[in-house]
Amino acid sequence: MIRTVVKSSISSSSSRVLRLFQPNNSLLPSLCLTLPYPGYINRHYSSSASSEKFDSIISGKVISHLRAITHKRDTLHDTMQEEIAAGAHDKLKDLSKEMHELSAVADAWSLVESKRKEVNELEQMEKECEDTEILASIKSEKQNLLNELPSLERDVMLSLIPKDAYDVGNAIIEVRAGTGGGEAQLFAKEMFEVYRSFAEAKRWKFEQMTAQSTESGGYRECSAMIKGSGVFGRMKHESGVHRVQRVPDTETMGRVHTSTITVAILPEVQEVDVNINQKDLRIDVYRSSGAGGQHVNTTDSAVRITHIPSGIVVTMQEERSQIRNREKAMTILRSRLFNQQQTKLNQERSAARAEQVGSGTRSERIRTYNYPQNRITDHRVNVTSNSLDNILSSGEDFSDFIEDIIVHFEARDLENLSKTFQ
């Protein structure tokens, strides 16, 4: 399928229009599927020359599916009322969860149906109206609804895409230097700070967990817990190998060096999500090392936890308390084990949902940061910006770039969804 992305400026420089052309999709028959997200203006242009023409992206098969979901939601509501009346409160937790999932789809579809009904009523009034002033008002109101419907219909389609239960929760970010020695270590530290600014721009809480400094002034590896609503869902696509091309400060010949870092985004998981047998753990305590201070090398506060079956090792020495270091290390261990288990279960899934970050070699990469050309490119969805300096220096600009990428992944999910209804 041929896809072309066009961004065009309108009255405000911060407002952009993103259009995804999909000419051969039976589920998405219009020439333009609007992809709305924060900071972008949502418009729809149909294949008709008339601005009043609206081409629905929801096919008849999808409508049948939506009506079935709505019926199931209504039936489940009645079942819940019966369980409440019978005093069977133990069953309500699972029923409430299913009710919430069904309602998200049914409510989105109900809103679209109500807007469609309003359009039909206005069209009938338009045919019967003879007053010029009232007719103009009717046409204006109808056009507003037609402009609103594409975004609402897309919300319906997105609600049908299976959700990751951890999308709404917190995330752990791990950044490691890959190929490139000191330059990779420097870039690992720089990107760690970029993600910190990104979290601050999103009003998330960024809690640094580890940071292994090197003689180059960078980080060998570092990690943080990012807390907020929907953190994992917005950041999970950052997992992978990030390649940087630039001239190091120590380079006297002006040659461009290529280095890599790996970024892993892990969901925060609770003890109930991962079963860890304490007998499978080897816990070592030792004196922390660092730049100095009264608490360094004076107590055995540092912790190293080894999960023997998987070979995963987590070290933690950021806190002065051994108990706190152990708690943080267990948090990271649970997330790594969960990620490992999910990766094994998802090996047959598409690459879009793969969670491994690769080996960190130069040939593997999801994104390239080219400093000489001031260009940043995400290779998975072919999103490119020639404002690398602004993106890395501003949490808001980096957030916009991430949203660009998320929109393309959502478009890919919609394309895959459409195939299930063909």
Side-chain angles (χ1 to χ4, degrees), residues 322-418:
Q322 182 188 121
I323 294 176
R324 286 289 296 136
N325 280 328
R326 184 180 299 208
E327 290 174 350
K328 283 190 172 183
M330 285 300 297
T331 298
I332 293 178
L333 177 62
R334 281 194 297 269
S335 291
R336 288 187 186 176
L337 281 172
F338 177 81
N339 188 63
Q340 185 183 78
Q341 294 168 6
Q342 288 298 106
T343 298
K344 289 180 180 179
L345 292 173
N346 297 338
Q347 284 180 346
E348 301 301 321
R349 291 188 182 181
S350 66
R353 299 188 64 82
E355 296 178 41
Q356 295 181 348
V357 298
S359 63
T361 62
R362 292 186 180 92
S363 60
E364 299 176 347
R365 79 274 192 253
I366 66 166
R367 190 175 302 153
T368 295
Y369 305 77
N370 188 308
Y371 277 73
Q373 299 180 16
N374 198 33
R375 185 180 69 236
I376 179 172
T377 299
D378 193 288
H379 304 286
R380 298 163 299 176
V381 291
N382 198 29
V383 169
T384 296
S385 172
N386 292 313
S387 300
L388 173 63
D389 52 350
N390 293 332
I391 289 174
L392 296 188
S393 63
S394 166
E396 293 287 351
D397 287 351
F398 187 77
S399 178
D400 285 345
F401 182 73
I402 296 304
E403 291 299 325
D404 272 7
I405 293 168
I406 291 173
V407 164
H408 282 74
F409 275 108
E410 289 178 345
R412 184 178 296 177
D413 288 341
L414 284 175
E415 182 179 331
N416 292 332
L417 175 67
S418 70

Side-chain angles (χ1 to χ4, degrees), residues 7-25:
K7 288 183 182 177
S8 58
S9 299
I10 55 176
S11 57
S12 172
S13 60
S14 63
S15 300
R16 291 168 287 180
V17 180
L18 180 63
R19 307 172 195 164
L20 176 67
F21 292 85
Q22 305 191 73
N24 298 316
N25 196 317

Side-chain angles (χ1 to χ4, degrees), residues 73-122:
R73 188 272 308 268
D74 295 341
T75 301
L76 184 61
H77 178 268
D78 295 338
T79 301
M80 290 180 65
Q81 296 302 315
E82 293 172 0
E83 295 294 346
I84 293 173
H89 298 289
D90 55 321
K91 298 181 181 180
L92 289 179
K93 183 177 180 180
D94 291 337
L95 291 176
S96 296
K97 181 180 179 181
E98 184 180 3
M99 182 72 174
H100 176 74
E101 294 172 351
L102 293 173
S103 294
V105 179
D107 291 346
W109 171 236
S110 176
L111 182 58
V112 168
E113 281 192 308
S114 67
K115 297 295 183 181
R116 286 181 170 186
K117 183 178 179 181
E118 288 182 51
V119 170
N120 291 335
E121 291 174 349
L122 287 170

